[in-house]
């Protein structure tokens, strides 16, 4: 007899003329022993204590009473066979045990929805299904009886992660069941896992809460292991670390390297931070990327550095772990799009962060069959100038190009900032335009025009401003952070930003409300000027009341023939005014209105050209 069964079953029931078959039952980290006696009684014991029992004399097992009395086979499947017991010695293996399908007696277990436990008792070709009650000391409940059963097994059912029992009969028929009846309680419909009662629902809720707490604990432990592994990889073993700051890796990568495909370009981006503290400041100079192949060759690329927004008190972010989490859960943050180009000669001060963007041409990557290595190079200036490097990613370009639709900018809340930075990385022309309408309805009419005629798709970015504002220079990309006279209000203000993007033309427009700033990004200056001309023409067709039209200085280049264009526009305007004054009184009112509308269109065209030319000659815009 097995020692584990001897611990549970009383000794008087373990006699060979009393017991027919026994097995063990494991339920929710508890162990008990099941025993079938030769007098057709079935018991469950735990630590010599009777847990459940049932009398099987009134079942179809009564016709097998003589066979049970005369049964002389193994009483459990975990005993060594008699033919190998003498030669086994001290070594045993699974092949020495009795195969479960060869024994005429077997005991199985089936659990339904984690609550109902069934014991499957098979004697030769007779199968009894007993339900194990939850109360202690109760009797088993007979659920079903089947004859001519060849075997049974667990199969996949219609409910996810819930198995069913499939019975195989001697005549070849099969039956799939879960042993649920109307008397056992209301069972949820297929595809649902609703609890049968309030008590069952509470138990399920407690189980979910326990699993959630365990998940949070494992996540925290995994994060700690990741931090220790990252420190070990960056600085080496604790016994080999040097106290000298010059021998440590100051540049740190926060988060993963993300990829975007914009037109015919591949953009790689990642967040880098200077981990040097303010007590021993070390500025990272000449921060730049390096793209190399496994063969040692290089690729042509362009790169930019964008600085992260400062905090409300104009201080840099201090918690680098929060910065790394920022990319993964941006929809939970109230952060506006306020990136700006790094203008400090690729320098990264202490406790500051920046986003490194690298742009590659897809035509250079189409026939590439090797790994692409992306590294970050930087210099430390002191008594000696030293150049260090940080390996960022090993990228398999072939797998990336097999599914390019997964890397196209979508401007979802989870990837809003990555998509915006990737698109402006591929644009060379930028023009900030301040356009203010007299009413909100006219502004919405203008936005509908952008979506219908230019094929732009609008996305809203909402942010609740705080009392403190971030000061930025006029030349920076400050979208939504400009201070005004109303910024001293005691109540927070809701800032709305809308992004309009056309994936075919790669045209991007960022609208900041309530400052009414429109930032337009295009591939070239000529495309940008044509777009501005078309927008002004559409404004005239919409008959919108524009109260402010202003171009920021030094942001939109002036074409070489701007003076000639202004002269031609003034001549056209003068000629239209002359024709308007020469109209005879006998003409209809409709003809006069069309002539006046023509004059207003030419006035706006000449005013725009004058504003563009004057923006580079005067410190302020008109």
């Amino acid at each position: 007899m097995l020692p584990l069964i001897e611990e549970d079953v009383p000794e008087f029931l373990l006699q060979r003329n009393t017991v027919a078959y026994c097995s063990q039952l494991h339920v929710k980290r508890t162990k008990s022993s099941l025993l079938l006696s030769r007098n057709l009684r079935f018991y469950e014991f735990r630590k010599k204590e009777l847990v459940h029992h049932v009398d099987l004399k009134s079942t179809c097992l009564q016709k097998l009473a003589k066979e049970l009395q005369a049964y002389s086979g193994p009483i459990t499947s975990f005993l060594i066979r008699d033919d190998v017991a003498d030669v086994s010695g001290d070594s045993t293996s699974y092949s020495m045990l009795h195969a479960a399908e060869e024994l005429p007696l077997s005991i199985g277990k089936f659990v339904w929805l984690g609550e109902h436990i069934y014991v499957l008792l098979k004697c030769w070709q007779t199968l009894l299904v007993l339900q194990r009650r939850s109360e202690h000391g109760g009797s088993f409940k007979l659920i079903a009886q089947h004859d001519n059963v060849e075997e049974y097994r667990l199969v996949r059912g219609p409910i996810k992660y819930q198995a069913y029992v499939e019975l195989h009969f001697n005549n070849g028929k099969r039956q799939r069941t879960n042993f649920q009846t109307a008397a056992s309680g209301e069972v949820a419909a297929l595809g649902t896992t609703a609890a049968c009662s309030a008590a069952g629902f509470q138990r399920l809720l407690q189980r979910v809460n326990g699993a959630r707490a365990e998940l949070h604990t494992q996540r925290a432990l995994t994060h700690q292991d990741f931090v220790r592994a990252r420190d070990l990889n960056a600085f080496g073993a604790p016994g080999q670390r040097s106290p000298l700051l010059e021998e440590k890796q100051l540049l740190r990568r926060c988060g993963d390297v993300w990829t975007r495909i914009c037109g015919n370009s591949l953009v790689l981006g990642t967040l880098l931070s200077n981990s040097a503290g303010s007590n021993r400041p070390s500025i990272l100079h000449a921060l730049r990327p390096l793209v190399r192949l496994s063969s040692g060759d290089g690729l042509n690329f362009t790169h930019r550095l964008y600085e992260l927004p400062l905090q409300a008190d104009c201080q840099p972010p201090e918690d680098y772990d929060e910065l790394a989490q920022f990319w993964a859960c941006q929809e939970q943050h109230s952060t506006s799009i306020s990136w700006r180009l790094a203008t400090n000669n690729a320098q990264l001060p202490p406790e500051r962060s920046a986003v490194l963007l690298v742009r590659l041409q897809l035509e250079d990557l189409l026939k590439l069959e090797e790994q692409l290595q992306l590294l970050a190079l930087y210099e430390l200036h002191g008594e000696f100038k030293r150049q260090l490097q940080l390996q960022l990613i090993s990228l398999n370009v072939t797998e990336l190009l097999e599914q390019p639709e997964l890397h196209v900018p979508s401007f979802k809340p989870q990837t809003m900032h990555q998509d915006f930075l990737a698109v402006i990385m591929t644009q060379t022309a930028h023009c900030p335009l301040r356009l203010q309408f007299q009413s909100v309805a006219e502004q919405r009419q203008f936005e509908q025009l952008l979506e219908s005629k230019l094929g732009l798709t609008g996305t809203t970015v909402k942010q609740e401003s705080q009392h403190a504002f971030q000061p930025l220079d006029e030349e920076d990309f400050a979208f939504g952070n400009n201070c005004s006279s109303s910024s001293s209000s005691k109540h927070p203000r809701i800032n709305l930003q809308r992004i309009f993007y056309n994936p075919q033309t790669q045209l991007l427009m960022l609208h900041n409300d309530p400052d009414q700033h429109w930032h337009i990004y295009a591939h070239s200056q000529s495309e940008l000027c044509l777009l501005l001309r078309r927008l002004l023409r559409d404004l005239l067709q919409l008959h919108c009341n524009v109260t402010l039209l202003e171009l920021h200085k030094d942001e939109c280049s002036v074409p070489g023939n701007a003076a000639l264009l202004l002269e031609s526009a003034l001549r056209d305007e003068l000629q239209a005014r002359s024709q308007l004054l020469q109209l005879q009184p006998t003409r209809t009112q409709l003809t006069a209105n069309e002539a006046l509308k023509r004059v207003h269109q030419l006035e706006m065209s000449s005013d725009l050209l004058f504003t563009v030319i004057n923006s580079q000659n005067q410190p302020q815009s008109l």
Side-chain angles (χ1 to χ4, degrees):
M1 184 62 62
L2 295 178
L4 295 178
I5 297 180
E6 293 179 351
E7 294 178 358
D8 296 332
V9 181
E11 185 176 357
F12 71 92
L13 290 176
L14 295 178
Q15 303 300 324
R16 192 67 177 88
N17 58 352
T18 303
V19 59
Y21 195 80
C22 58
S23 180
Q24 284 199 322
L25 178 66
H26 298 268
V27 177
K28 297 181 179 179
R29 300 182 181 180
T30 61
K31 177 186 70 67
S32 60
S33 298
L34 301 175
L35 185 142
L36 175 63
S37 64
R38 296 180 185 270
N39 58 355
L40 299 181
R41 297 188 65 88
F42 191 70
Y43 305 95
E44 178 184 357
F45 288 95
R46 183 188 301 121
K47 300 298 182 182
K48 309 295 183 180
E49 181 181 1
L50 181 63
V51 181
H52 298 92
H53 64 90
V54 66
D55 190 356
L56 303 177
K57 293 181 179 179
S58 61
T59 64
C60 60
L61 203 61
Q62 177 64 35
K63 60 183 180 181
L64 299 176
K66 295 182 179 180
E67 285 80 353
L68 282 177
Q69 291 290 342
Y71 177 70
S72 60
I75 61 176
T76 179
S77 61
F78 292 97
L79 294 178
I80 300 178
R81 302 197 311 271
D82 296 336
D83 56 343
V84 296
D86 299 333
V87 298
S88 59
D90 297 333
S91 61
T92 58
S93 63
Y94 178 76
S95 60
M96 299 180 181
L97 303 179
H98 293 275
E101 59 272 9
E102 297 177 358
L103 299 179
L105 305 180
S106 64
I107 299 177
K109 180 187 70 172
F110 174 69
V111 182
W112 174 254
L113 297 180
E115 296 293 333
H116 306 285
I117 301 175
Y118 300 90
V119 177
L120 308 179
L121 178 59
K122 184 175 180 294
C123 298
W124 285 271
Q125 295 184 354
T126 301
L127 177 66
L128 299 183
V129 181
L130 306 176
Q131 183 178 6
R132 183 179 182 271
R133 299 182 184 273
S134 58
E135 61 271 12
H136 186 79
S139 61
F140 288 97
K141 182 180 179 181
L142 181 63
I143 299 298
Q145 306 179 62
H146 299 279
D147 290 329
N148 300 322
V149 178
E150 182 178 354
E151 63 173 352
Y152 64 89
R153 62 174 182 172
L154 296 180
V155 295
R156 183 178 301 176
I159 301 179
K160 193 174 184 180
Y161 306 122
Q162 175 59 59
Y164 274 56
V165 176
E166 187 177 74
L167 306 179
H168 292 225
F169 296 93
N170 294 337
N171 55 4
K173 293 184 179 181
R174 297 183 181 183
Q175 179 182 353
R176 182 176 299 182
T177 178
N178 56 359
F179 307 120
Q180 301 300 301
T181 59
S184 64
E186 297 182 357
V187 182
L190 294 180
T192 63
T193 57
C196 300
S197 61
F201 178 77
Q202 290 295 334
R203 288 193 296 270
L204 291 177
L205 185 61
Q206 292 176 2
R207 189 178 302 173
V208 170
N209 293 335
R212 184 177 300 169
E214 185 178 357
L215 175 61
H216 290 334
T217 303
Q218 293 296 331
R219 184 178 297 173
L221 295 177
T222 303
H223 178 70
Q224 294 177 3
D225 295 340
F226 173 74
V227 172
R228 287 193 293 267
R230 183 179 59 185
D231 293 342
L232 182 63
N233 187 29
F235 304 112
Q240 300 176 355
R241 294 185 180 183
S242 172
L244 300 178
L245 183 65
E246 293 77 7
E247 298 183 6
K248 294 186 177 182
Q249 183 69 271
L250 300 181
L251 186 63
R252 180 179 298 180
R253 189 196 74 185
C254 299
D256 298 331
V257 177
W258 42 269
T259 57
R260 293 294 183 275
I261 296 180
C262 302
N264 57 352
S265 302
L266 173 64
V267 180
L268 308 177
T270 185
L271 175 65
L272 301 177
S273 62
N274 187 353
S275 59
S278 57
N279 53 347
R280 297 185 63 181
S282 295
I283 300 177
L284 306 184
H285 299 269
L287 179 59
R288 62 198 185 276
L290 176 63
V291 179
R292 295 189 63 84
L293 303 177
S294 302
S295 60
D297 300 332
L299 292 174
N300 296 327
F301 64 90
T302 58
H303 75 281
R304 294 180 190 171
L305 281 176
Y306 284 91
E307 294 181 346
L308 285 176
L310 300 178
Q311 293 180 351
D313 55 356
C314 300
Q315 295 296 325
E318 297 178 358
D319 195 344
Y320 297 104
D321 294 333
E322 292 184 359
L323 292 178
Q325 297 174 3
F326 169 76
W327 297 102
C329 52
Q330 294 177 30
E331 69 278 6
Q332 302 177 5
H333 291 257
S334 178
T335 305
S336 63
I337 299 179
S338 54
W339 300 95
R340 60 182 182 183
L341 276 171
T343 57
N344 49 1
N345 297 325
Q347 296 181 359
L348 193 59
E351 298 183 352
R352 294 291 295 272
S353 303
V355 174
L356 175 64
L357 297 177
V358 180
R359 177 185 177 186
L360 300 169
Q361 296 296 329
L362 289 180
E363 59 182 0
D364 299 336
L365 307 175
L366 293 178
K367 298 182 180 180
L368 194 62
E369 298 181 356
E370 48 186 322
Q371 293 280 343
L372 185 147
Q373 304 291 334
L374 177 62
L375 299 92
L377 305 180
Y378 63 97
E379 297 178 357
L380 291 177
H381 294 177
E383 297 181 0
F384 304 96
K385 180 186 297 186
R386 297 185 302 111
Q387 178 175 313
L388 302 176
Q389 67 181 22
L390 175 66
Q391 206 275 346
L392 298 179
I393 190 175
S394 296
L395 186 63
N396 192 336
V397 182
T398 304
E399 295 181 357
L400 187 145
L401 296 180
E402 287 179 355
Q403 295 180 331
E405 64 278 359
L406 300 180
H407 306 274
V408 176
S410 58
F411 289 96
K412 296 181 179 179
Q414 297 84 355
T415 59
M416 183 74 66
H417 292 258
Q418 292 98 321
D419 296 338
F420 178 79
L421 290 173
V423 173
I424 66 175
M425 179 64 190
T426 59
Q427 310 296 336
T428 58
H430 169 232
C431 176
L433 176 66
R434 191 172 185 185
L435 186 62
Q436 186 172 355
F437 296 89
Q438 189 173 4
S439 63
V440 179
E442 294 176 347
Q443 176 181 329
R444 293 178 180 175
Q445 187 179 5
F446 177 68
E447 293 179 354
Q448 293 177 359
L449 176 68
L450 296 178
E451 296 179 353
S452 60
K453 283 195 173 183
L454 298 181
L456 300 174
T457 303
T459 305
T460 302
V461 183
K462 185 177 180 181
Q463 180 200 19
E464 182 175 351
S465 301
Q466 305 297 330
H467 301 298
F469 288 85
Q470 170 185 335
L472 295 175
D473 299 332
E474 293 182 357
E475 298 180 356
D476 296 333
F477 297 97
F479 312 141
N481 291 321
N482 294 335
C483 298
S484 60
S485 59
S486 61
S487 64
S488 60
S489 174
K490 296 182 180 180
H491 301 284
R493 182 182 61 182
I494 301 297
N495 287 343
L496 291 177
Q497 291 181 321
R498 284 185 60 81
I499 295 179
F500 297 89
Y501 177 65
N502 188 338
Q504 282 74 26
T505 61
Q506 305 296 318
L507 178 63
L508 178 67
M509 298 180 66
L510 176 65
H511 175 217
N512 176 37
D513 185 30
D515 295 333
Q516 303 300 334
H517 285 173
W518 292 80
H519 293 265
I520 308 174
Y521 296 89
H523 282 294
S524 61
Q525 292 290 345
S526 59
E527 182 179 349
L528 184 60
C529 292
L530 290 175
L531 178 61
L532 289 174
R533 187 182 183 92
R534 183 176 180 180
L535 289 179
L536 293 176
R537 183 192 63 189
D538 295 338
L539 284 174
L540 292 175
Q541 294 178 356
L542 288 176
H543 301 286
C544 296
N545 295 324
V546 180
T547 59
L548 180 62
L549 178 62
E550 182 182 34
L551 288 173
H552 286 201
K553 69 170 187 175
D554 300 332
E555 296 291 352
C556 185
S557 61
V558 180
N561 58 345
L564 297 177
L565 294 176
L566 177 60
E567 180 180 357
S568 177
L570 291 175
R571 290 180 183 275
D572 294 341
E573 180 184 349
L574 182 60
Q575 183 179 0
R577 285 183 178 274
S578 177
Q579 294 177 358
L580 179 62
L581 295 176
Q582 293 177 1
L583 286 178
Q584 299 179 3
T586 57
R587 293 293 182 93
T588 61
Q589 184 67 24
L590 180 60
T591 305
N593 291 338
E594 292 179 354
L596 184 60
K597 179 180 177 181
R598 173 64 177 171
V599 171
H600 289 166
Q601 291 177 349
L602 294 175
E603 282 182 353
M604 177 168 283
S605 300
S606 58
D607 291 344
L608 175 62
L609 287 172
F610 178 76
T611 303
V612 172
I613 296 175
N614 193 58
S615 62
Q616 290 193 350
N617 299 330
Q618 294 184 3
Q620 295 182 353
S621 302
L622 294 178

